[in-house]
PDB file of all heavy atoms in Angstrom:
ATOM      1  N   HIS A 139    -159.098 171.114  22.191  1.00  0.00           N
ATOM      2  CA  HIS A 139    -157.722 171.160  22.708  1.00  0.00           C
ATOM      3  C   HIS A 139    -157.778 171.022  24.225  1.00  0.00           C
ATOM      4  O   HIS A 139    -158.334 171.880  24.901  1.00  0.00           O
ATOM      5  CB  HIS A 139    -157.042 172.478  22.316  1.00  0.00           C
ATOM      6  CG  HIS A 139    -155.683 172.639  22.924  1.00  0.00           C
ATOM      7  ND1 HIS A 139    -154.580 171.952  22.463  1.00  0.00           N
ATOM      8  CD2 HIS A 139    -155.267 173.396  23.963  1.00  0.00           C
ATOM      9  CE1 HIS A 139    -153.544 172.292  23.195  1.00  0.00           C
ATOM     10  NE2 HIS A 139    -153.933 173.158  24.110  1.00  0.00           N
ATOM     11  N   PRO A 140    -157.221 169.938  24.785  1.00  0.00           N
ATOM     12  CA  PRO A 140    -157.242 169.769  26.237  1.00  0.00           C
ATOM     13  C   PRO A 140    -156.395 170.841  26.927  1.00  0.00           C
ATOM     14  O   PRO A 140    -155.304 171.177  26.466  1.00  0.00           O
ATOM     15  CB  PRO A 140    -156.661 168.376  26.470  1.00  0.00           C
ATOM     16  CG  PRO A 140    -156.198 167.869  25.163  1.00  0.00           C
ATOM     17  CD  PRO A 140    -156.588 168.845  24.093  1.00  0.00           C
ATOM     18  N   LEU A 141    -156.920 171.365  28.028  1.00  0.00           N
ATOM     19  CA  LEU A 141    -156.228 172.411  28.774  1.00  0.00           C
ATOM     20  C   LEU A 141    -155.502 171.865  30.000  1.00  0.00           C
ATOM     21  O   LEU A 141    -155.052 172.644  30.843  1.00  0.00           O
ATOM     22  CB  LEU A 141    -157.231 173.495  29.192  1.00  0.00           C
ATOM     23  CG  LEU A 141    -157.960 174.201  28.062  1.00  0.00           C
ATOM     24  CD1 LEU A 141    -158.964 175.205  28.617  1.00  0.00           C
ATOM     25  CD2 LEU A 141    -156.970 174.888  27.130  1.00  0.00           C
ATOM     26  N   ILE A 142    -155.368 170.564  30.118  1.00  0.00           N
ATOM     27  CA  ILE A 142    -154.844 169.943  31.324  1.00  0.00           C
ATOM     28  C   ILE A 142    -153.421 170.411  31.659  1.00  0.00           C
ATOM     29  O   ILE A 142    -153.095 170.636  32.827  1.00  0.00           O
ATOM     30  CB  ILE A 142    -154.958 168.393  31.262  1.00  0.00           C
ATOM     31  CG1 ILE A 142    -154.956 167.785  32.661  1.00  0.00           C
ATOM     32  CG2 ILE A 142    -153.898 167.788  30.382  1.00  0.00           C
ATOM     33  CD1 ILE A 142    -156.283 167.807  33.321  1.00  0.00           C
ATOM     34  N   GLU A 143    -152.576 170.616  30.645  1.00  0.00           N
ATOM     35  CA  GLU A 143    -151.209 171.104  30.911  1.00  0.00           C
ATOM     36  C   GLU A 143    -151.236 172.530  31.438  1.00  0.00           C
ATOM     37  O   GLU A 143    -150.472 172.876  32.341  1.00  0.00           O
ATOM     38  CB  GLU A 143    -150.341 170.996  29.655  1.00  0.00           C
ATOM     39  CG  GLU A 143    -149.960 169.573  29.313  1.00  0.00           C
ATOM     40  CD  GLU A 143    -149.071 169.482  28.080  1.00  0.00           C
ATOM     41  OE1 GLU A 143    -148.507 170.517  27.648  1.00  0.00           O
ATOM     42  OE2 GLU A 143    -148.949 168.356  27.554  1.00  0.00           O
ATOM     43  N   ASP A 144    -152.111 173.362  30.880  1.00  0.00           N
ATOM     44  CA  ASP A 144    -152.252 174.737  31.366  1.00  0.00           C
ATOM     45  C   ASP A 144    -152.779 174.730  32.804  1.00  0.00           C
ATOM     46  O   ASP A 144    -152.336 175.516  33.644  1.00  0.00           O
ATOM     47  CB  ASP A 144    -153.211 175.523  30.463  1.00  0.00           C
ATOM     48  CG  ASP A 144    -152.702 175.634  29.044  1.00  0.00           C
ATOM     49  OD1 ASP A 144    -151.594 176.144  28.846  1.00  0.00           O
ATOM     50  OD2 ASP A 144    -153.437 175.186  28.134  1.00  0.00           O
ATOM     51  N   GLN A 145    -153.719 173.842  33.062  1.00  0.00           N
ATOM     52  CA  GLN A 145    -154.290 173.760  34.411  1.00  0.00           C
ATOM     53  C   GLN A 145    -153.247 173.243  35.395  1.00  0.00           C
ATOM     54  O   GLN A 145    -153.200 173.701  36.543  1.00  0.00           O
ATOM     55  CB  GLN A 145    -155.544 172.890  34.380  1.00  0.00           C
ATOM     56  CG  GLN A 145    -156.641 173.556  33.588  1.00  0.00           C
ATOM     57  CD  GLN A 145    -157.817 172.639  33.280  1.00  0.00           C
ATOM     58  OE1 GLN A 145    -157.684 171.422  33.207  1.00  0.00           O
ATOM     59  NE2 GLN A 145    -158.976 173.239  33.086  1.00  0.00           N
ATOM     60  N   GLN A 146    -152.417 172.313  34.975  1.00  0.00           N
ATOM     61  CA  GLN A 146    -151.340 171.825  35.832  1.00  0.00           C
ATOM     62  C   GLN A 146    -150.396 172.977  36.175  1.00  0.00           C
ATOM     63  O   GLN A 146    -149.970 173.134  37.325  1.00  0.00           O
ATOM     64  CB  GLN A 146    -150.581 170.699  35.125  1.00  0.00           C
ATOM     65  CG  GLN A 146    -149.481 170.083  35.953  1.00  0.00           C
ATOM     66  CD  GLN A 146    -148.810 168.933  35.227  1.00  0.00           C
ATOM     67  OE1 GLN A 146    -148.890 168.804  34.012  1.00  0.00           O
ATOM     68  NE2 GLN A 146    -148.142 168.090  35.991  1.00  0.00           N
ATOM     69  N   HIS A 147    -150.069 173.787  35.186  1.00  0.00           N
ATOM     70  CA  HIS A 147    -149.199 174.956  35.405  1.00  0.00           C
ATOM     71  C   HIS A 147    -149.855 175.934  36.398  1.00  0.00           C
ATOM     72  O   HIS A 147    -149.199 176.424  37.311  1.00  0.00           O
ATOM     73  CB  HIS A 147    -148.903 175.644  34.071  1.00  0.00           C
ATOM     74  CG  HIS A 147    -148.047 176.855  34.198  1.00  0.00           C
ATOM     75  ND1 HIS A 147    -146.688 176.793  34.420  1.00  0.00           N
ATOM     76  CD2 HIS A 147    -148.371 178.177  34.156  1.00  0.00           C
ATOM     77  CE1 HIS A 147    -146.206 178.016  34.517  1.00  0.00           C
ATOM     78  NE2 HIS A 147    -147.200 178.871  34.353  1.00  0.00           N
ATOM     79  N   MET A 148    -151.145 176.189  36.201  1.00  0.00           N
ATOM     80  CA  MET A 148    -151.861 177.115  37.078  1.00  0.00           C
ATOM     81  C   MET A 148    -151.876 176.609  38.520  1.00  0.00           C
ATOM     82  O   MET A 148    -151.658 177.369  39.461  1.00  0.00           O
ATOM     83  CB  MET A 148    -153.287 177.311  36.554  1.00  0.00           C
ATOM     84  CG  MET A 148    -154.173 178.208  37.389  1.00  0.00           C
ATOM     85  SD  MET A 148    -155.097 177.371  38.712  1.00  0.00           S
ATOM     86  CE  MET A 148    -155.962 176.112  37.845  1.00  0.00           C
ATOM     87  N   LEU A 149    -152.135 175.308  38.716  1.00  0.00           N
ATOM     88  CA  LEU A 149    -152.143 174.751  40.075  1.00  0.00           C
ATOM     89  C   LEU A 149    -150.745 174.805  40.687  1.00  0.00           C
ATOM     90  O   LEU A 149    -150.606 175.011  41.902  1.00  0.00           O
ATOM     91  CB  LEU A 149    -152.689 173.327  40.068  1.00  0.00           C
ATOM     92  CG  LEU A 149    -154.191 173.208  39.772  1.00  0.00           C
ATOM     93  CD1 LEU A 149    -154.601 171.741  39.657  1.00  0.00           C
ATOM     94  CD2 LEU A 149    -155.028 173.928  40.805  1.00  0.00           C
ATOM     95  N   GLY A 150    -149.718 174.649  39.881  1.00  0.00           N
ATOM     96  CA  GLY A 150    -148.343 174.817  40.364  1.00  0.00           C
ATOM     97  C   GLY A 150    -148.098 176.242  40.833  1.00  0.00           C
ATOM     98  O   GLY A 150    -147.463 176.467  41.872  1.00  0.00           O
ATOM     99  N   GLN A 151    -148.595 177.206  40.069  1.00  0.00           N
ATOM    100  CA  GLN A 151    -148.460 178.613  40.472  1.00  0.00           C
ATOM    101  C   GLN A 151    -149.215 178.885  41.771  1.00  0.00           C
ATOM    102  O   GLN A 151    -148.728 179.613  42.631  1.00  0.00           O
ATOM    103  CB  GLN A 151    -148.984 179.533  39.362  1.00  0.00           C
ATOM    104  CG  GLN A 151    -148.105 179.594  38.151  1.00  0.00           C
ATOM    105  CD  GLN A 151    -148.686 180.520  37.088  1.00  0.00           C
ATOM    106  OE1 GLN A 151    -149.875 180.467  36.786  1.00  0.00           O
ATOM    107  NE2 GLN A 151    -147.830 181.358  36.510  1.00  0.00           N
ATOM    108  N   LEU A 152    -150.395 178.313  41.892  1.00  0.00           N
ATOM    109  CA  LEU A 152    -151.190 178.480  43.109  1.00  0.00           C
ATOM    110  C   LEU A 152    -150.438 177.910  44.314  1.00  0.00           C
ATOM    111  O   LEU A 152    -150.363 178.547  45.369  1.00  0.00           O
ATOM    112  CB  LEU A 152    -152.555 177.805  42.939  1.00  0.00           C
ATOM    113  CG  LEU A 152    -153.522 177.886  44.106  1.00  0.00           C
ATOM    114  CD1 LEU A 152    -153.841 179.324  44.482  1.00  0.00           C
ATOM    115  CD2 LEU A 152    -154.808 177.136  43.746  1.00  0.00           C
ATOM    116  N   THR A 153    -149.869 176.729  44.154  1.00  0.00           N
ATOM    117  CA  THR A 153    -149.088 176.127  45.230  1.00  0.00           C
ATOM    118  C   THR A 153    -147.892 177.006  45.595  1.00  0.00           C
ATOM    119  O   THR A 153    -147.637 177.262  46.775  1.00  0.00           O
ATOM    120  CB  THR A 153    -148.603 174.711  44.823  1.00  0.00           C
ATOM    121  OG1 THR A 153    -149.744 173.903  44.528  1.00  0.00           O
ATOM    122  CG2 THR A 153    -147.786 174.070  45.925  1.00  0.00           C
ATOM    123  N   ARG A 154    -147.173 177.497  44.580  1.00  0.00           N
ATOM    124  CA  ARG A 154    -146.017 178.369  44.856  1.00  0.00           C
ATOM    125  C   ARG A 154    -146.439 179.639  45.578  1.00  0.00           C
ATOM    126  O   ARG A 154    -145.740 180.086  46.500  1.00  0.00           O
ATOM    127  CB  ARG A 154    -145.279 178.702  43.553  1.00  0.00           C
ATOM    128  CG  ARG A 154    -144.347 177.580  43.110  1.00  0.00           C
ATOM    129  CD  ARG A 154    -143.426 177.989  41.960  1.00  0.00           C
ATOM    130  NE  ARG A 154    -144.126 178.294  40.719  1.00  0.00           N
ATOM    131  CZ  ARG A 154    -144.668 177.375  39.917  1.00  0.00           C
ATOM    132  NH1 ARG A 154    -144.616 176.100  40.229  1.00  0.00           N
ATOM    133  NH2 ARG A 154    -145.260 177.733  38.801  1.00  0.00           N
ATOM    134  N   LEU A 155    -147.548 180.227  45.185  1.00  0.00           N
ATOM    135  CA  LEU A 155    -148.031 181.422  45.868  1.00  0.00           C
ATOM    136  C   LEU A 155    -148.286 181.137  47.346  1.00  0.00           C
ATOM    137  O   LEU A 155    -147.854 181.885  48.226  1.00  0.00           O
ATOM    138  CB  LEU A 155    -149.326 181.930  45.204  1.00  0.00           C
ATOM    139  CG  LEU A 155    -150.046 183.061  45.935  1.00  0.00           C
ATOM    140  CD1 LEU A 155    -149.277 184.360  45.793  1.00  0.00           C
ATOM    141  CD2 LEU A 155    -151.454 183.216  45.415  1.00  0.00           C
ATOM    142  N   LEU A 156    -148.990 180.049  47.623  1.00  0.00           N
ATOM    143  CA  LEU A 156    -149.291 179.691  49.013  1.00  0.00           C
ATOM    144  C   LEU A 156    -148.018 179.409  49.804  1.00  0.00           C
ATOM    145  O   LEU A 156    -147.894 179.825  50.962  1.00  0.00           O
ATOM    146  CB  LEU A 156    -150.222 178.479  49.057  1.00  0.00           C
ATOM    147  CG  LEU A 156    -151.664 178.754  48.624  1.00  0.00           C
ATOM    148  CD1 LEU A 156    -152.371 177.453  48.236  1.00  0.00           C
ATOM    149  CD2 LEU A 156    -152.422 179.480  49.721  1.00  0.00           C
ATOM    150  N   VAL A 157    -147.058 178.729  49.204  1.00  0.00           N
ATOM    151  CA  VAL A 157    -145.804 178.393  49.881  1.00  0.00           C
ATOM    152  C   VAL A 157    -144.942 179.639  50.057  1.00  0.00           C
ATOM    153  O   VAL A 157    -144.436 179.909  51.151  1.00  0.00           O
ATOM    154  CB  VAL A 157    -145.030 177.299  49.103  1.00  0.00           C
ATOM    155  CG1 VAL A 157    -143.612 177.139  49.630  1.00  0.00           C
ATOM    156  CG2 VAL A 157    -145.784 175.980  49.177  1.00  0.00           C
ATOM    157  N   ASP A 158    -144.774 180.424  48.992  1.00  0.00           N
ATOM    158  CA  ASP A 158    -143.883 181.583  49.050  1.00  0.00           C
ATOM    159  C   ASP A 158    -144.361 182.640  50.035  1.00  0.00           C
ATOM    160  O   ASP A 158    -143.558 183.230  50.743  1.00  0.00           O
ATOM    161  CB  ASP A 158    -143.708 182.212  47.661  1.00  0.00           C
ATOM    162  CG  ASP A 158    -142.911 181.328  46.720  1.00  0.00           C
ATOM    163  OD1 ASP A 158    -142.319 180.327  47.190  1.00  0.00           O
ATOM    164  OD2 ASP A 158    -142.893 181.613  45.499  1.00  0.00           O
TER     165      ASP A 158
END
Side-chain angles (χ1 to χ4, degrees):
H139 175 75
L141 300 178
I142 203 82
E143 288 181 15
D144 298 302
Q145 293 169 334
Q146 182 177 20
H147 179 76
M148 178 271 305
L149 290 175
Q151 288 179 315
L152 180 59
T153 301
R154 280 190 295 286
L155 172 72
L156 288 160
V157 169
D158 291 349

